[in-house]
């Protein structure tokens, strides 16, 4: 199970670097952050050697996208290039896979889209769970369907559950057996917490203090 941070917050990435298996970025996250995107991406890459850092293309025209993907890939050996799962980009995706570029196909919303990308041999597909839920479609159900079909066809492409908005999404992704989950820092922290853990620590501490022991062991 890989845990990926869906963030460009350098402080948080540094804090969680020992635990996470990578970072996903996208144009929206970079735009909201406000710092220079290239500088920020380089900082993230330097913090996570040997891990998976996904950087999305911004060009829309296929040939320009192809050239940009190569430039992004050259930023580091830990880069995966994110390409949107649109039929106009299938030829670009096929060429890039053939060139040996590691791809994370983003904005995946259906079984056929996902399996088509597996057929082309990309490293990751990113089904967007939260955005499906936004449209009253059960995003988590797609994860179960993907796990079953990808295994049945024996494809090597990994499922990276994305657009994760809640701890419930995290647990559903785990139950579906996805290979990786990318989540915002807030969701990671919530998933790692439990009020009964906090209560238990407080109770153990209160009982221990009653003994009045200052040195142990
Ligand atoms: C993943 O690669 C995306 O950056 C991200 O999960 C999108 O999430 P959102 O739908 O909450 O914007």
């Amino acid at each position: 199970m890989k845990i990926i941070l869906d963030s460009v917050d350098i402080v948080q990435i540094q804090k969680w670097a020992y635990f996470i298996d990578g970072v996903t970025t996208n144009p929206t996250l970079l735009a909201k952050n406000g710092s220079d995107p290239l500088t920020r991406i380089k900082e993230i890459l330097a913090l996570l050697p040997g891990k998976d850092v996904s950087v999305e293309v911004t060009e829309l025209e296929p040939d320009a996208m192809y050239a940009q993907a190569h430039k992004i890939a050259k930023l580091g050996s830990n880069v995966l290039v994110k390409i949107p799962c649109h039929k106009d980009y299938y030829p670009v995706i096929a060429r890039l896979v053939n060139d040996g570029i590691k791809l994370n196909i983003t904005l995946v919303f259906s079984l056929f889209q996902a399996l088509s990308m597996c057929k082309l041999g990309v490293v990751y597909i990113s089904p967007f769970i939260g955005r499906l839920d936004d449209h009253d479609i059960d995003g988590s159900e797609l994860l179960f369907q993907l796990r079953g079909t990808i295994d049945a066809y024996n494809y090597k492409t990994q499922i990276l559950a994305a657009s994760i908005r809640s701890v419930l999404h995290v647990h559903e992704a785990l139950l579906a057996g996805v290979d990786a989950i990318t989540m915002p820092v807030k969701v990671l922290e919530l998933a790692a917490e439990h009020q009964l853990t906090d209560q238990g620590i407080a109770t153990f501490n209160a009982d221990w203090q009653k003994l009045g022991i200052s040195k142990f062991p």
Side-chain angles (χ1 to χ4, degrees):
M1 172 192 70
K2 294 182 197 167
I3 300 295
I4 314 276
L5 219 47
D6 202 20
S7 173
V8 298
D9 182 331
I10 209 74
V11 174
Q12 292 296 336
I13 292 169
Q14 203 157 20
K15 175 181 166 185
W16 286 99
Y18 74 97
F19 181 73
I20 58 175
D21 300 286
V23 156
T24 48
T25 69
N26 66 41
T28 301
L29 290 172
L30 286 164
K32 280 185 182 161
N33 178 265
S35 53
D36 174 63
L38 183 57
T39 307
R40 181 45 54 100
I41 292 295
K42 285 180 176 171
E43 287 170 345
I44 297 170
L45 289 169
L47 278 178
L48 301 173
K51 301 198 175 185
D52 288 343
V53 178
S54 293
V55 181
E56 190 157 343
V57 291
T58 55
E59 296 286 352
L60 298 180
E61 192 278 319
D63 285 336
M65 182 182 285
Y66 174 78
Q68 188 188 28
H70 268 278
K71 284 186 187 163
I72 291 173
K74 285 196 178 75
L75 291 174
S77 57
N78 48 347
V79 170
L80 284 109
V81 183
K82 271 172 99 174
I83 309 259
C85 192
H86 191 284
K87 63 178 169 39
D88 291 353
Y89 303 142
Y90 283 20
V92 173
I93 292 165
R95 284 171 73 194
L96 290 168
V97 170
N98 195 46
D99 295 343
I101 304 292
K102 293 182 289 181
L103 298 183
N104 170 6
I105 303 302
T106 189
L107 295 166
V108 171
F109 292 98
S110 78
L111 201 52
F112 185 79
Q113 283 185 315
L115 272 285
S116 299
M117 294 303 107
C118 296
K119 178 174 160 57
L120 290 180
V122 305
V123 176
Y124 286 114
I125 46 165
S126 291
F128 272 41
I129 304 318
R131 293 194 196 188
L132 279 170
D133 286 359
D134 290 345
H135 288 80
D136 287 333
I137 299 166
D138 186 347
S140 298
E141 178 57 27
L142 177 62
L143 298 181
F144 284 91
Q145 293 171 355
L146 288 176
R147 183 73 284 157
T149 47
I150 288 172
D151 289 350
Y153 285 99
N154 206 21
Y155 284 130
K156 298 292 169 249
T157 296
Q158 297 174 58
I159 306 168
L160 200 176
S163 189
I164 295 289
R165 308 265 177 79
S166 65
V167 177
L168 180 63
H169 277 158
V170 174
H171 287 171
E172 286 173 337
L174 291 172
L175 287 170
V178 301
D179 302 284
I181 309 174
T182 186
M183 61 189 90
V185 175
K186 188 182 66 170
V187 175
L188 174 57
E189 289 181 342
L190 283 172
E193 290 168 6
H194 200 287
Q195 63 174 4
L196 290 178
T197 305
D198 297 343
Q199 281 174 22
I201 290 170
T203 304
F204 284 147
N205 184 52
D207 289 340
W208 184 252
Q209 294 307 323
K210 288 176 199 161
L211 289 176
I213 296 173
S214 59
K215 194 167 180 292
F216 175 84

